[in-house]
Amino acid sequence: NVIKLIMDRNIVVYSMLAVGLYTPLSALADVWGVSFLKQKYNLTPFIAGQISDMLFLGLSAGSLILPWYCEKKQIINKALFLCLGMLFILFSILIYGAISVKTVIVCILLIGFFSGAEMMCFTGALQVSDHKNSGEIIGVVNTLNMIGGAFIQWFIGMLLDYKWDGTFQENGLRYYSSESYTYALTSVVIMIAICGST
């Protein structure tokens, strides 16, 4: 049954959409957010950590409001692509723009908010499938989603190492420049674009 579900085009599409919506959150909140914000916007680790945590505040609101509203209006598919588009724009502004700290906070909150649309991918996959397999469908979508998030974290690290100039920080950790982070996090922008084109 699981193999059959993985081969189902509709489930794969919703899984890809989930990856695109989850990837920015995975990249920033789970691993690279604090160090990126600290380096790009000259923030202290404490302030960078606080701002990075605002992703979860936005996510809390988005994962409640977006599914409730979009399912009520029956616009799940349109909303998923709109949210992916917003994530593409916001993430691009965050990594390529020269913006104020206040604008960074707004971007981070909105990235978290629109990432909340990921929850609708499960609903969408269930709507186009046999509900008798609902548990397996949710499991497949979630598994593919988590694999995508794990891959992007590894890939960003690999790109950072590729751009690393051999410099170490005082604490012995590798020093990555702002340009290195921009280069590596471009992979997230590309991932969002790929997932949105499915």
Side-chain angles (χ1 to χ4, degrees), residues 11 13-27 29-30 55-56 58-68 70-71 76-77 79-84 87 110-126 137-150 195:
I11 292 174
V13 166
Y14 280 106
S15 298
M16 289 293 291
L17 292 172
V19 169
L21 292 161
Y22 175 67
T23 295
L25 189 71
S26 174
D30 294 347
L55 281 162
F56 295 109
L59 179 66
S60 298
S63 60
L64 293 172
I65 295 169
L66 288 171
W68 168 76
C70 296
E71 288 175 25
I76 288 177
N77 291 339
L80 287 172
F81 286 103
L82 175 63
C83 290
L84 276 168
L87 285 174
L110 289 175
I111 287 170
F113 181 84
F114 288 112
S115 292
E118 174 202 352
M119 308 306 164
M120 293 188 291
C121 294
F122 299 99
T123 304
L126 289 172
I137 292 166
I138 290 171
V140 166
V141 172
N142 196 45
T143 299
L144 295 176
N145 186 23
M146 292 296 106
I147 289 172
C195 293

Side-chain angles (χ1 to χ4, degrees), residues 4 19 55 60-62 73 76 85 94 105-106 110 112 154 178 189-190 192 195 198:
K4 185 179 178 181
V19 169
L55 281 162
S60 298
K73 298 292 183 180
I76 288 177
L94 186 66
I105 292 170
V106 172
L110 289 175
W154 166 80
S178 177
V189 177
I190 294 169
I192 295 169
C195 293
T198 55

Side-chain angles (χ1 to χ4, degrees), residues 10-113:
N10 290 323
I11 292 174
V12 171
V13 166
Y14 280 106
S15 298
M16 289 293 291
L17 292 172
V19 169
L21 292 161
Y22 175 67
T23 295
L25 189 71
S26 174
L28 290 179
D30 294 347
V31 183
W32 305 108
V34 175
S35 53
F36 162 69
L37 292 172
K38 185 177 73 170
Q39 189 65 28
K40 168 118 178 140
Y41 294 101
N42 297 314
L43 302 172
T44 65
F46 177 75
I47 297 297
Q50 283 190 318
I51 293 174
S52 181
D53 285 345
M54 290 184 181
L55 281 162
F56 295 109
L57 183 61
L59 179 66
S60 298
S63 60
L64 293 172
I65 295 169
L66 288 171
W68 168 76
Y69 180 79
C70 296
E71 288 175 25
K72 182 179 178 181
K73 298 292 183 180
Q74 297 183 343
I75 54 168
I76 288 177
N77 291 339
K78 289 181 181 179
L80 287 172
F81 286 103
L82 175 63
C83 290
L84 276 168
M86 291 303 298
L87 285 174
F88 181 87
I89 293 167
L90 290 164
F91 206 86
S92 297
I93 291 170
L94 186 66
I95 66 170
Y96 301 125
I99 55 178
S100 68
V101 174
K102 288 182 179 179
T103 308
V104 169
I105 292 170
V106 172
C107 278
I108 290 286
L109 282 168
L110 289 175
I111 287 170
F113 181 84

Side-chain angles (χ1 to χ4, degrees), residues 166-182:
T167 306
F168 286 93
Q169 301 177 48
E170 292 178 1
N171 57 11
L173 298 176
R174 293 185 179 191
Y175 173 82
Y176 300 115
S177 67
S178 177
E179 292 75 19
S180 296
Y181 278 108
T182 300

